[in-house]
Amino acid sequence: AAACSLITRAMKLTDKLLPFAALAVVLGLVAFWLLPGGVNAAPAATFRTLDGRTLTTADLKGKPAIVTFWATSCPGCMEEMPHLIELYRELQPKGLQIVGVAMSYDPPSNVLELVRRKQVPYPIALDTDEALAKAFGTIRVTPTSFLIAPDGRIVQQKIGSFDMNALKTQLKA
């Protein structure tokens, strides 16, 4: 009887504490998500651009940024590129940064020719040793893009093309 009474009291106490424990877990997850540099921090990465510059993810802090992995042989990338160029031209004066990363299997001569032909205004990096693809989570599929908040957190990862209207709304907010 004593054991039964103890179990009953423990169950009543558990029933009273369970909502508080659940609330504490939810609040902890929300706080963890919102902390700058939390689990979604952009990796420390160095981009070597076609024009010889060096950019790092730290250089992108303070501004919204898009890092997009693409290839000249990717139909979705070629379809998305004019929209990214337009987005960059519209929002770069307000702080938007875009960095394109050509995949390691893409011949540099093809990348150079395409960037010249399409007059890509944002920096393009060659990922010849796959270091950037590995840093961002072993990227294999193109296009794969990351929207990085000014505080350096990845707020969206997109495999495939962005919905440009939704992206513009998100960037302007």
Side-chain angles (χ1 to χ4, degrees), residues 10-56:
M11 288 175 62
K12 286 180 182 177
L13 183 60
T14 301
D15 288 344
K16 289 178 183 178
L17 292 178
L18 190 59
F20 293 109
L23 180 62
V25 168
V26 169
L27 289 175
L29 290 173
V30 168
F32 194 62
W33 173 258
L34 295 176
L35 284 174
V39 293
N40 294 324
T46 300
F47 306 91
R48 304 213 190 296
T49 66
L50 293 177
D51 62 4
R53 289 184 294 148
T54 299
L55 294 170
T56 66

mmCIF file of all heavy atoms in Angstrom, residues 10-56:
data_model
loop_
_atom_site.group_PDB
_atom_site.id
_atom_site.type_symbol
_atom_site.label_atom_id
_atom_site.label_comp_id
_atom_site.label_asym_id
_atom_site.label_seq_id
_atom_site.Cartn_x
_atom_site.Cartn_y
_atom_site.Cartn_z
ATOM 1 N N ALA A 10 3.878 10.343 -6.957
ATOM 2 C CA ALA A 10 4.879 10.638 -7.992
ATOM 3 C C ALA A 10 4.190 10.935 -9.322
ATOM 4 O O ALA A 10 4.590 11.853 -10.052
ATOM 5 C CB ALA A 10 5.855 9.481 -8.150
ATOM 6 N N MET A 11 3.128 10.208 -9.640
ATOM 7 C CA MET A 11 2.403 10.431 -10.890
ATOM 8 C C MET A 11 1.707 11.789 -10.872
ATOM 9 O O MET A 11 1.704 12.509 -11.875
ATOM 10 C CB MET A 11 1.395 9.303 -11.138
ATOM 11 C CG MET A 11 2.077 7.986 -11.531
ATOM 12 S SD MET A 11 0.944 6.594 -11.704
ATOM 13 C CE MET A 11 -0.096 7.141 -13.024
ATOM 14 N N LYS A 12 1.130 12.170 -9.733
ATOM 15 C CA LYS A 12 0.468 13.475 -9.625
ATOM 16 C C LYS A 12 1.488 14.595 -9.782
ATOM 17 O O LYS A 12 1.234 15.599 -10.434
ATOM 18 C CB LYS A 12 -0.270 13.590 -8.292
ATOM 19 C CG LYS A 12 -1.543 12.766 -8.227
ATOM 20 C CD LYS A 12 -2.225 12.927 -6.886
ATOM 21 C CE LYS A 12 -3.467 12.046 -6.836
ATOM 22 N NZ LYS A 12 -4.123 12.123 -5.526
ATOM 23 N N LEU A 13 2.656 14.426 -9.175
ATOM 24 C CA LEU A 13 3.707 15.429 -9.276
ATOM 25 C C LEU A 13 4.193 15.538 -10.719
ATOM 26 O O LEU A 13 4.393 16.636 -11.243
ATOM 27 C CB LEU A 13 4.867 15.086 -8.340
ATOM 28 C CG LEU A 13 6.016 16.091 -8.293
ATOM 29 C CD1 LEU A 13 5.515 17.460 -7.824
ATOM 30 C CD2 LEU A 13 7.106 15.592 -7.366
ATOM 31 N N THR A 14 4.351 14.398 -11.379
ATOM 32 C CA THR A 14 4.768 14.383 -12.779
ATOM 33 C C THR A 14 3.746 15.095 -13.646
ATOM 34 O O THR A 14 4.109 15.877 -14.531
ATOM 35 C CB THR A 14 4.965 12.928 -13.271
ATOM 36 O OG1 THR A 14 5.950 12.305 -12.447
ATOM 37 C CG2 THR A 14 5.410 12.892 -14.717
ATOM 38 N N ASP A 15 2.462 14.853 -13.394
ATOM 39 C CA ASP A 15 1.406 15.520 -14.161
ATOM 40 C C ASP A 15 1.479 17.035 -14.004
ATOM 41 O O ASP A 15 1.216 17.785 -14.939
ATOM 42 C CB ASP A 15 0.021 15.022 -13.733
ATOM 43 C CG ASP A 15 -0.261 13.602 -14.209
ATOM 44 O OD1 ASP A 15 0.465 13.121 -15.109
ATOM 45 O OD2 ASP A 15 -1.213 12.985 -13.683
ATOM 46 N N LYS A 16 1.842 17.508 -12.814
ATOM 47 C CA LYS A 16 1.927 18.945 -12.574
ATOM 48 C C LYS A 16 3.192 19.542 -13.205
ATOM 49 O O LYS A 16 3.183 20.681 -13.659
ATOM 50 C CB LYS A 16 1.915 19.236 -11.071
ATOM 51 C CG LYS A 16 0.570 18.987 -10.419
ATOM 52 C CD LYS A 16 0.632 19.253 -8.940
ATOM 53 C CE LYS A 16 -0.717 18.920 -8.288
ATOM 54 N NZ LYS A 16 -0.659 19.123 -6.845
ATOM 55 N N LEU A 17 4.295 18.800 -13.205
ATOM 56 C CA LEU A 17 5.566 19.326 -13.699
ATOM 57 C C LEU A 17 5.749 19.178 -15.210
ATOM 58 O O LEU A 17 6.530 19.913 -15.814
ATOM 59 C CB LEU A 17 6.728 18.640 -12.985
ATOM 60 C CG LEU A 17 6.878 18.956 -11.498
ATOM 61 C CD1 LEU A 17 8.040 18.181 -10.907
ATOM 62 C CD2 LEU A 17 7.066 20.450 -11.280
ATOM 63 N N LEU A 18 5.033 18.256 -15.830
ATOM 64 C CA LEU A 18 5.204 17.988 -17.255
ATOM 65 C C LEU A 18 4.982 19.226 -18.119
ATOM 66 O O LEU A 18 5.821 19.512 -18.991
ATOM 67 C CB LEU A 18 4.283 16.840 -17.688
ATOM 68 C CG LEU A 18 4.532 16.303 -19.093
ATOM 69 C CD1 LEU A 18 5.968 15.800 -19.218
ATOM 70 C CD2 LEU A 18 3.552 15.199 -19.405
ATOM 71 N N PRO A 19 3.926 20.011 -17.929
ATOM 72 C CA PRO A 19 3.776 21.210 -18.767
ATOM 73 C C PRO A 19 4.935 22.197 -18.606
ATOM 74 O O PRO A 19 5.374 22.819 -19.569
ATOM 75 C CB PRO A 19 2.465 21.839 -18.279
ATOM 76 C CG PRO A 19 1.713 20.720 -17.625
ATOM 77 C CD PRO A 19 2.769 19.811 -17.062
ATOM 78 N N PHE A 20 5.453 22.331 -17.379
ATOM 79 C CA PHE A 20 6.585 23.241 -17.162
ATOM 80 C C PHE A 20 7.848 22.713 -17.837
ATOM 81 O O PHE A 20 8.621 23.480 -18.410
ATOM 82 C CB PHE A 20 6.827 23.444 -15.668
ATOM 83 C CG PHE A 20 5.708 24.179 -14.987
ATOM 84 C CD1 PHE A 20 4.852 23.524 -14.114
ATOM 85 C CD2 PHE A 20 5.475 25.532 -15.248
ATOM 86 C CE1 PHE A 20 3.804 24.196 -13.506
ATOM 87 C CE2 PHE A 20 4.438 26.212 -14.643
ATOM 88 C CZ PHE A 20 3.591 25.540 -13.765
ATOM 89 N N ALA A 21 8.058 21.422 -17.771
ATOM 90 C CA ALA A 21 9.223 20.828 -18.425
ATOM 91 C C ALA A 21 9.125 20.989 -19.936
ATOM 92 O O ALA A 21 10.107 21.342 -20.602
ATOM 93 C CB ALA A 21 9.340 19.349 -18.054
ATOM 94 N N ALA A 22 7.946 20.778 -20.489
ATOM 95 C CA ALA A 22 7.749 20.944 -21.933
ATOM 96 C C ALA A 22 7.992 22.395 -22.338
ATOM 97 O O ALA A 22 8.643 22.672 -23.345
ATOM 98 C CB ALA A 22 6.344 20.498 -22.330
ATOM 99 N N LEU A 23 7.490 23.329 -21.548
ATOM 100 C CA LEU A 23 7.684 24.742 -21.826
ATOM 101 C C LEU A 23 9.172 25.101 -21.766
ATOM 102 O O LEU A 23 9.679 25.844 -22.622
ATOM 103 C CB LEU A 23 6.890 25.604 -20.840
ATOM 104 C CG LEU A 23 7.014 27.119 -21.022
ATOM 105 C CD1 LEU A 23 6.474 27.538 -22.385
ATOM 106 C CD2 LEU A 23 6.273 27.845 -19.908
ATOM 107 N N ALA A 24 9.877 24.566 -20.802
ATOM 108 C CA ALA A 24 11.314 24.837 -20.671
ATOM 109 C C ALA A 24 12.073 24.313 -21.895
ATOM 110 O O ALA A 24 12.966 24.990 -22.412
ATOM 111 C CB ALA A 24 11.857 24.206 -19.389
ATOM 112 N N VAL A 25 11.707 23.143 -22.382
ATOM 113 C CA VAL A 25 12.361 22.580 -23.565
ATOM 114 C C VAL A 25 12.090 23.461 -24.786
ATOM 115 O O VAL A 25 13.005 23.808 -25.535
ATOM 116 C CB VAL A 25 11.899 21.123 -23.817
ATOM 117 C CG1 VAL A 25 12.348 20.634 -25.185
ATOM 118 C CG2 VAL A 25 12.422 20.209 -22.724
ATOM 119 N N VAL A 26 10.845 23.862 -24.980
ATOM 120 C CA VAL A 26 10.480 24.702 -26.122
ATOM 121 C C VAL A 26 11.217 26.041 -26.051
ATOM 122 O O VAL A 26 11.794 26.497 -27.038
ATOM 123 C CB VAL A 26 8.948 24.906 -26.199
ATOM 124 C CG1 VAL A 26 8.583 25.988 -27.205
ATOM 125 C CG2 VAL A 26 8.260 23.598 -26.549
ATOM 126 N N LEU A 27 11.218 26.677 -24.884
ATOM 127 C CA LEU A 27 11.911 27.956 -24.739
ATOM 128 C C LEU A 27 13.412 27.804 -24.978
ATOM 129 O O LEU A 27 14.039 28.675 -25.578
ATOM 130 C CB LEU A 27 11.638 28.561 -23.364
ATOM 131 C CG LEU A 27 10.221 29.086 -23.138
ATOM 132 C CD1 LEU A 27 10.048 29.551 -21.685
ATOM 133 C CD2 LEU A 27 9.874 30.190 -24.105
ATOM 134 N N GLY A 28 13.971 26.715 -24.522
ATOM 135 C CA GLY A 28 15.392 26.464 -24.750
ATOM 136 C C GLY A 28 15.707 26.312 -26.229
ATOM 137 O O GLY A 28 16.690 26.861 -26.728
ATOM 138 N N LEU A 29 14.865 25.601 -26.952
ATOM 139 C CA LEU A 29 15.069 25.435 -28.390
ATOM 140 C C LEU A 29 14.919 26.758 -29.126
ATOM 141 O O LEU A 29 15.703 27.073 -30.025
ATOM 142 C CB LEU A 29 14.089 24.399 -28.957
ATOM 143 C CG LEU A 29 14.348 22.956 -28.542
ATOM 144 C CD1 LEU A 29 13.215 22.046 -29.017
ATOM 145 C CD2 LEU A 29 15.678 22.468 -29.077
ATOM 146 N N VAL A 30 13.928 27.550 -28.752
ATOM 147 C CA VAL A 30 13.732 28.863 -29.381
ATOM 148 C C VAL A 30 14.941 29.751 -29.113
ATOM 149 O O VAL A 30 15.462 30.398 -30.026
ATOM 150 C CB VAL A 30 12.423 29.528 -28.890
ATOM 151 C CG1 VAL A 30 12.353 30.991 -29.303
ATOM 152 C CG2 VAL A 30 11.217 28.766 -29.429
ATOM 153 N N ALA A 31 15.417 29.789 -27.887
ATOM 154 C CA ALA A 31 16.578 30.614 -27.549
ATOM 155 C C ALA A 31 17.809 30.149 -28.326
ATOM 156 O O ALA A 31 18.564 30.959 -28.861
ATOM 157 C CB ALA A 31 16.839 30.563 -26.046
ATOM 158 N N PHE A 32 17.994 28.840 -28.412
ATOM 159 C CA PHE A 32 19.141 28.291 -29.128
ATOM 160 C C PHE A 32 19.074 28.673 -30.605
ATOM 161 O O PHE A 32 20.074 29.015 -31.219
ATOM 162 C CB PHE A 32 19.166 26.769 -28.953
ATOM 163 C CG PHE A 32 20.457 26.138 -29.353
ATOM 164 C CD1 PHE A 32 21.631 26.468 -28.695
ATOM 165 C CD2 PHE A 32 20.492 25.208 -30.364
ATOM 166 C CE1 PHE A 32 22.830 25.875 -29.054
ATOM 167 C CE2 PHE A 32 21.685 24.611 -30.732
ATOM 168 C CZ PHE A 32 22.850 24.950 -30.073
ATOM 169 N N TRP A 33 17.882 28.633 -31.195
ATOM 170 C CA TRP A 33 17.686 28.973 -32.605
ATOM 171 C C TRP A 33 17.989 30.452 -32.849
ATOM 172 O O TRP A 33 18.558 30.828 -33.858
ATOM 173 C CB TRP A 33 16.251 28.647 -33.009
ATOM 174 C CG TRP A 33 15.904 29.113 -34.391
ATOM 175 C CD1 TRP A 33 15.193 30.218 -34.726
ATOM 176 C CD2 TRP A 33 16.257 28.491 -35.621
ATOM 177 N NE1 TRP A 33 15.097 30.327 -36.075
ATOM 178 C CE2 TRP A 33 15.742 29.279 -36.659
ATOM 179 C CE3 TRP A 33 16.983 27.351 -35.949
ATOM 180 C CZ2 TRP A 33 15.905 28.962 -37.996
ATOM 181 C CZ3 TRP A 33 17.142 27.039 -37.284
ATOM 182 C CH2 TRP A 33 16.604 27.832 -38.285
ATOM 183 N N LEU A 34 17.600 31.306 -31.918
ATOM 184 C CA LEU A 34 17.734 32.744 -32.116
ATOM 185 C C LEU A 34 19.101 33.297 -31.731
ATOM 186 O O LEU A 34 19.415 34.432 -32.075
ATOM 187 C CB LEU A 34 16.635 33.482 -31.337
ATOM 188 C CG LEU A 34 15.216 33.214 -31.820
ATOM 189 C CD1 LEU A 34 14.222 33.921 -30.908
ATOM 190 C CD2 LEU A 34 15.019 33.639 -33.261
ATOM 191 N N LEU A 35 19.898 32.524 -31.030
ATOM 192 C CA LEU A 35 21.210 33.023 -30.623
ATOM 193 C C LEU A 35 22.096 33.233 -31.847
ATOM 194 O O LEU A 35 22.229 32.341 -32.675
ATOM 195 C CB LEU A 35 21.906 32.020 -29.695
ATOM 196 C CG LEU A 35 21.396 31.959 -28.272
ATOM 197 C CD1 LEU A 35 22.085 30.818 -27.538
ATOM 198 C CD2 LEU A 35 21.616 33.267 -27.551
ATOM 199 N N PRO A 36 22.712 34.405 -31.980
ATOM 200 C CA PRO A 36 23.644 34.617 -33.095
ATOM 201 C C PRO A 36 24.765 33.593 -33.039
ATOM 202 O O PRO A 36 25.297 33.303 -31.985
ATOM 203 C CB PRO A 36 24.178 36.031 -32.848
ATOM 204 C CG PRO A 36 23.156 36.683 -31.979
ATOM 205 C CD PRO A 36 22.559 35.572 -31.140
ATOM 206 N N GLY A 37 25.080 33.047 -34.204
ATOM 207 C CA GLY A 37 26.173 32.087 -34.261
ATOM 208 C C GLY A 37 25.825 30.736 -33.674
ATOM 209 O O GLY A 37 26.707 29.967 -33.353
ATOM 210 N N GLY A 38 24.542 30.441 -33.534
ATOM 211 C CA GLY A 38 24.108 29.167 -32.982
ATOM 212 C C GLY A 38 24.421 28.031 -33.934
ATOM 213 O O GLY A 38 25.322 28.114 -34.751
ATOM 214 N N VAL A 39 23.645 26.971 -33.865
ATOM 215 C CA VAL A 39 23.908 25.788 -34.677
ATOM 216 C C VAL A 39 23.853 26.074 -36.160
ATOM 217 O O VAL A 39 24.394 25.328 -36.947
ATOM 218 C CB VAL A 39 22.931 24.638 -34.334
ATOM 219 C CG1 VAL A 39 23.159 24.130 -32.956
ATOM 220 C CG2 VAL A 39 21.499 25.042 -34.555
ATOM 221 N N ASN A 40 23.214 27.145 -36.551
ATOM 222 C CA ASN A 40 23.086 27.461 -37.962
ATOM 223 C C ASN A 40 24.107 28.488 -38.431
ATOM 224 O O ASN A 40 23.884 29.169 -39.421
ATOM 225 C CB ASN A 40 21.665 27.977 -38.252
ATOM 226 C CG ASN A 40 20.640 26.893 -38.046
ATOM 227 O OD1 ASN A 40 20.882 25.739 -38.334
ATOM 228 N ND2 ASN A 40 19.491 27.265 -37.528
ATOM 229 N N ALA A 41 25.211 28.631 -37.729
ATOM 230 C CA ALA A 41 26.227 29.605 -38.138
ATOM 231 C C ALA A 41 26.834 29.181 -39.472
ATOM 232 O O ALA A 41 27.088 28.002 -39.709
ATOM 233 C CB ALA A 41 27.322 29.707 -37.085
ATOM 234 N N ALA A 42 27.060 30.173 -40.335
ATOM 235 C CA ALA A 42 27.751 29.888 -41.592
ATOM 236 C C ALA A 42 29.163 29.415 -41.259
ATOM 237 O O ALA A 42 29.788 29.928 -40.330
ATOM 238 C CB ALA A 42 27.787 31.144 -42.455
ATOM 239 N N PRO A 43 29.664 28.451 -42.006
ATOM 240 C CA PRO A 43 31.005 27.954 -41.699
ATOM 241 C C PRO A 43 32.071 29.003 -42.012
ATOM 242 O O PRO A 43 31.876 29.874 -42.865
ATOM 243 C CB PRO A 43 31.144 26.744 -42.635
ATOM 244 C CG PRO A 43 30.235 27.047 -43.772
ATOM 245 C CD PRO A 43 29.077 27.806 -43.169
ATOM 246 N N ALA A 44 33.176 28.902 -41.336
ATOM 247 C CA ALA A 44 34.325 29.750 -41.671
ATOM 248 C C ALA A 44 34.866 29.238 -42.995
ATOM 249 O O ALA A 44 35.316 28.096 -43.085
ATOM 250 C CB ALA A 44 35.376 29.671 -40.578
ATOM 251 N N ALA A 45 34.746 30.045 -44.022
ATOM 252 C CA ALA A 45 35.179 29.621 -45.351
ATOM 253 C C ALA A 45 35.841 30.784 -46.067
ATOM 254 O O ALA A 45 35.517 31.945 -45.828
ATOM 255 C CB ALA A 45 33.980 29.122 -46.154
ATOM 256 N N THR A 46 36.774 30.446 -46.962
ATOM 257 C CA THR A 46 37.473 31.447 -47.760
ATOM 258 C C THR A 46 37.170 31.204 -49.232
ATOM 259 O O THR A 46 37.339 30.091 -49.735
ATOM 260 C CB THR A 46 38.993 31.362 -47.527
ATOM 261 O OG1 THR A 46 39.238 31.591 -46.128
ATOM 262 C CG2 THR A 46 39.741 32.392 -48.339
ATOM 263 N N PHE A 47 36.703 32.254 -49.900
ATOM 264 C CA PHE A 47 36.369 32.199 -51.319
ATOM 265 C C PHE A 47 37.474 32.896 -52.102
ATOM 266 O O PHE A 47 37.811 34.042 -51.811
ATOM 267 C CB PHE A 47 35.045 32.938 -51.588
ATOM 268 C CG PHE A 47 33.893 32.477 -50.751
ATOM 269 C CD1 PHE A 47 33.619 33.087 -49.528
ATOM 270 C CD2 PHE A 47 33.073 31.443 -51.168
ATOM 271 C CE1 PHE A 47 32.559 32.685 -48.748
ATOM 272 C CE2 PHE A 47 32.010 31.022 -50.388
ATOM 273 C CZ PHE A 47 31.754 31.641 -49.180
ATOM 274 N N ARG A 48 38.034 32.229 -53.087
ATOM 275 C CA ARG A 48 39.005 32.846 -53.986
ATOM 276 C C ARG A 48 38.271 33.118 -55.290
ATOM 277 O O ARG A 48 37.880 32.189 -55.989
ATOM 278 C CB ARG A 48 40.196 31.936 -54.209
ATOM 279 C CG ARG A 48 40.841 31.545 -52.894
ATOM 280 C CD ARG A 48 42.307 31.355 -52.932
ATOM 281 N NE ARG A 48 42.846 30.758 -51.730
ATOM 282 C CZ ARG A 48 42.824 31.290 -50.521
ATOM 283 N NH1 ARG A 48 42.244 32.419 -50.323
ATOM 284 N NH2 ARG A 48 43.362 30.685 -49.479
ATOM 285 N N THR A 49 38.083 34.393 -55.585
ATOM 286 C CA THR A 49 37.236 34.768 -56.709
ATOM 287 C C THR A 49 38.008 34.773 -58.029
ATOM 288 O O THR A 49 39.244 34.816 -58.044
ATOM 289 C CB THR A 49 36.599 36.145 -56.478
ATOM 290 O OG1 THR A 49 37.628 37.130 -56.465
ATOM 291 C CG2 THR A 49 35.815 36.176 -55.170
ATOM 292 N N LEU A 50 37.266 34.746 -59.105
ATOM 293 C CA LEU A 50 37.863 34.740 -60.439
ATOM 294 C C LEU A 50 38.733 35.961 -60.690
ATOM 295 O O LEU A 50 39.712 35.881 -61.426
ATOM 296 C CB LEU A 50 36.764 34.691 -61.511
ATOM 297 C CG LEU A 50 35.946 33.412 -61.594
ATOM 298 C CD1 LEU A 50 34.854 33.554 -62.644
ATOM 299 C CD2 LEU A 50 36.837 32.213 -61.908
ATOM 300 N N ASP A 51 38.392 37.073 -60.053
ATOM 301 C CA ASP A 51 39.174 38.296 -60.260
ATOM 302 C C ASP A 51 40.341 38.418 -59.272
ATOM 303 O O ASP A 51 40.956 39.475 -59.156
ATOM 304 C CB ASP A 51 38.287 39.540 -60.218
ATOM 305 C CG ASP A 51 37.590 39.740 -58.886
ATOM 306 O OD1 ASP A 51 37.836 38.951 -57.941
ATOM 307 O OD2 ASP A 51 36.788 40.688 -58.780
ATOM 308 N N GLY A 52 40.639 37.336 -58.544
ATOM 309 C CA GLY A 52 41.814 37.308 -57.683
ATOM 310 C C GLY A 52 41.594 37.777 -56.257
ATOM 311 O O GLY A 52 42.538 37.779 -55.465
ATOM 312 N N ARG A 53 40.381 38.165 -55.913
ATOM 313 C CA ARG A 53 40.125 38.612 -54.538
ATOM 314 C C ARG A 53 39.926 37.411 -53.626
ATOM 315 O O ARG A 53 39.626 36.311 -54.069
ATOM 316 C CB ARG A 53 38.867 39.487 -54.484
ATOM 317 C CG ARG A 53 39.050 40.846 -55.131
ATOM 318 C CD ARG A 53 37.826 41.727 -54.979
ATOM 319 N NE ARG A 53 36.714 41.146 -55.740
ATOM 320 C CZ ARG A 53 35.441 41.243 -55.394
ATOM 321 N NH1 ARG A 53 35.081 41.908 -54.318
ATOM 322 N NH2 ARG A 53 34.508 40.693 -56.131
ATOM 323 N N THR A 54 40.075 37.671 -52.334
ATOM 324 C CA THR A 54 39.787 36.677 -51.316
ATOM 325 C C THR A 54 38.680 37.236 -50.438
ATOM 326 O O THR A 54 38.792 38.355 -49.931
ATOM 327 C CB THR A 54 41.037 36.384 -50.466
ATOM 328 O OG1 THR A 54 42.058 35.874 -51.318
ATOM 329 C CG2 THR A 54 40.740 35.360 -49.390
ATOM 330 N N LEU A 55 37.609 36.477 -50.294
ATOM 331 C CA LEU A 55 36.492 36.822 -49.409
ATOM 332 C C LEU A 55 36.350 35.712 -48.390
ATOM 333 O O LEU A 55 36.650 34.559 -48.680
ATOM 334 C CB LEU A 55 35.174 36.914 -50.186
ATOM 335 C CG LEU A 55 35.005 38.004 -51.216
ATOM 336 C CD1 LEU A 55 33.736 37.755 -52.029
ATOM 337 C CD2 LEU A 55 34.900 39.343 -50.521
ATOM 338 N N THR A 56 35.869 36.066 -47.217
ATOM 339 C CA THR A 56 35.574 35.048 -46.218
ATOM 340 C C THR A 56 34.122 35.209 -45.775
ATOM 341 O O THR A 56 33.515 36.264 -46.001
ATOM 342 C CB THR A 56 36.481 35.180 -44.974
ATOM 343 O OG1 THR A 56 36.175 36.407 -44.314
ATOM 344 C CG2 THR A 56 37.955 35.132 -45.360
#
